[in-house]
Amino acid sequence: STRSYQRVRAMAAGVRYPIGTPGVAWTDAEKLHWRNTREIQRSYADEVVAKLEPLKSKFDVTRYGSLSHGSYEMFAVRTLATWSDDKPCVLVTGGVHGYETSGVQGAIAFLATKAEQYASKFNIVVLPCVSPWGYETIQRWNASAVDPNRSFNPNGEVVPGRSFNPEPATEESTAVIAVLKSLGVARWLCHVDLHETTDTDESEFRPAKAARDGVESEPDLIPDGFYLVADNSNPQTAWVKAIIDGVRTVTHIAPPDANGKIIGEEVIQEGVIGIPPPNQLGLCAGVTNASYATTTEVYPDSPSATPEQCNAAQVAAVCAALDHLIAHEP
């Protein structure tokens, strides 16, 4: 793990992003240049949409939005046949950051292999790929150079120097908010937002963000292993411990760095960092009023984790989250 931290820090040292002028925030021209230099690297139609087709025999699969840049449609999958106002509602989101592969594939794998088992207990909604352009181009941002996972509350407070700050609304977040509102759910019980932390966060995406915002890129450390992001104001310690224990059977849990932190944030229990309330930061994990909400973080670049393990870790996280609620929520 220490080797991984050092390796990624060395990768990031002295990185200067090739777009823009150092110290000067991007204008629309630089953002357009950035978008025009991104390339499609995989197929959303083949790797995501096609995998939803066989699920139509078990679940309701509906289009809930489309993007103005490219011919991308976004889909929601829910347990409509067993939907009941008497059951608690669960949301699973993947691909808010499109480049984070196991978030998308893990959400689809949960639908294909596990969701039916929980449909008698919960109303389940899965948005498997919130950012399809980002999926195809393997990018963190959307086509407008905005981070979708900071765009769910554009009126949130910006704190200078904080790593988590809200950004403008996006087509991706606006569509998610609209489809959730259309479901008429008064109170969500649980939301699990599936993500990854990758080596390219440090080598590409943090330098790009610093260049876009006209600030200096500060090197940070990439943790080797799985971790969760919890709300400091509502940490749900037993629930997140159950998720960590469930994932531990599939892949390893990230240790803290030499300063006792993970991605610069305080570790509040094993494999869990605490941050301010996600809705204040514009995070997808704050898009509902769920009492139980967390963001998963899989590390796909670990030499000891395969892509299949990464997908399985996301499925294990969702299942452990639901198993705990079945056992402990009335």
Side-chain angles (χ1 to χ4, degrees):
S1 298
T2 304
R3 258 200 316 278
S4 173
Y5 281 128
Q6 293 169 341
R7 175 169 56 84
V8 179
R9 168 158 269 179
M11 282 167 48
V15 170
R16 177 182 176 271
Y17 205 70
I19 295 174
T21 302
V24 180
W26 288 0
T27 65
D28 289 344
E30 282 87 16
K31 292 175 183 176
L32 183 61
H33 179 202
W34 175 84
R35 183 174 74 192
N36 289 342
T37 50
R38 304 308 95 183
E39 296 179 353
I40 290 176
Q41 301 186 56
R42 56 188 178 185
S43 171
Y44 173 69
D46 293 345
E47 296 181 19
V48 180
V49 179
K51 291 182 179 181
L52 301 181
E53 199 61 36
L55 299 177
K56 290 180 177 178
S57 63
K58 299 189 282 189
F59 307 112
D60 177 65
V61 180
T62 56
R63 171 190 171 278
Y64 71 88
S66 59
L67 301 181
S68 60
H69 183 75
S71 55
Y72 299 102
E73 296 184 326
M74 294 96 85
F75 295 90
V77 184
R78 63 177 176 140
T79 53
L80 186 61
T82 56
W83 192 276
S84 166
D85 291 341
D86 298 330
K87 290 191 296 195
C89 296
V90 169
L91 174 64
V92 178
T93 44
V96 177
H97 289 144
Y99 74 109
E100 295 169 2
T101 307
S102 73
V104 178
Q105 298 303 330
I108 295 170
F110 169 73
L111 285 165
T113 64
K114 298 291 185 180
E116 275 188 305
Q117 299 172 26
Y118 294 98
S120 64
K121 299 283 188 181
F122 303 104
N123 298 322
I124 301 172
V125 179
V126 180
L127 309 180
C129 190
V130 171
S131 298
W133 181 85
Y135 185 87
E136 282 209 329
T137 57
I138 313 185
Q139 294 296 319
R140 179 183 181 89
W141 292 340
N142 74 349
S144 300
V146 177
D147 187 332
N149 201 35
R150 304 291 185 272
S151 71
F152 285 82
N153 181 11
N155 299 316
E157 182 188 10
V158 173
V159 177
R162 184 171 66 184
S163 60
F164 294 91
N165 271 315
E167 297 190 16
T170 59
E171 293 178 347
E172 291 84 354
S173 62
T174 301
V176 169
I177 291 167
V179 71
L180 296 181
K181 185 177 180 181
S182 75
L183 297 176
V185 175
R187 166 64 66 176
W188 293 85
L189 176 63
C190 168
H191 177 195
V192 183
D193 188 25
L194 308 180
H195 284 255
E196 294 180 341
T197 299
T198 70
D199 284 352
T200 52
D201 287 353
E202 191 64 19
S203 62
E204 165 69 18
F205 299 122
R206 285 175 185 153
K209 180 179 184 294
R212 182 198 67 181
D213 298 342
V215 298
E216 191 73 27
S217 180
E218 293 290 336
D220 206 345
L221 306 173
I222 300 298
D224 183 349
F226 179 93
Y227 66 98
L228 292 172
V229 184
D231 176 353
N232 269 332
S233 71
N234 179 32
Q236 297 289 8
T237 53
W239 182 62
V240 293
K241 181 183 185 302
I243 298 173
I244 291 292
D245 288 343
V247 171
R248 199 195 311 274
T249 64
V250 177
T251 191
H252 57 291
I253 306 305
D257 62 21
N259 298 315
K261 297 185 176 184
I262 291 177
I263 65 162
E265 305 295 334
E266 295 294 336
V267 177
I268 58 173
Q269 64 191 81
E270 185 194 9
V272 183
I273 62 170
I275 63 169
N279 64 323
Q280 295 180 11
L281 309 177
L283 302 189
C284 183
V287 74
T288 73
N289 56 7
S291 302
Y292 296 86
T294 192
T295 300
T296 69
E297 296 287 351
V298 165
Y299 180 49
D301 298 309
S302 174
S304 55
T306 64
E308 292 74 24
Q309 275 180 297
C310 292
N311 296 343
Q314 303 284 21
V315 175
V318 177
C319 292
L322 299 183
D323 289 341
H324 182 87
L325 294 176
I326 290 170
H328 297 282
E329 275 289 312

